Amino acid sequence: RGRRRSAPVDAVVFLDPEPRLALRSVGLEEAAARFLASALPSEREGLPSEFIRTLLDRPCYVLQRGTSPDEAASLLRELARSSL
């Protein structure tokens, strides 16, 4: 209700402030836990579980940002290129 898809979502990437740069794939259980941990209380209460399951029914990753925004952005570009 009131939500519509405006662009395709090929992958979900969770940002982690860990100071060691890394990109890793995660399963549905960890992805759902990370999604819910970062959601606002109104999102946790208002988003249907089916919406969350559908969103996370694609490749999910955790990007540990490291200390260089440029290196983190480079990892995201590589991920985007490899998923085309």
Side-chain angles (χ1 to χ4, degrees):
R1 106 184 177 222
R3 293 179 192 90
R4 64 189 151 111
R5 188 171 166 177
S6 59
V9 177
D10 295 321
V12 176
V13 178
F14 296 96
L15 297 179
D16 187 321
E18 175 70 34
R20 185 177 51 89
L21 180 65
L23 178 66
R24 64 184 175 87
S25 178
V26 295
L28 178 59
E29 191 172 307
E30 182 176 347
R34 285 182 176 273
F35 179 87
L36 292 172
S38 65
L40 297 171
S42 60
E43 292 171 327
R44 275 186 225 113
E45 296 166 8
L47 288 175
S49 59
E50 182 61 32
F51 172 85
I52 297 169
R53 246 189 328 275
T54 300
L55 174 66
L56 301 176
D57 186 25
R58 63 201 79 238
C60 295
Y61 302 89
V62 172
L63 171 64
Q64 293 175 193
R65 294 184 304 187
T67 57
S68 169
D70 291 333
E71 289 178 1
S74 179
L75 271 180
L76 282 176
R77 277 191 297 277
E78 287 176 34
L79 175 63
R81 268 190 296 250
S82 71
S83 62
L84 291 177

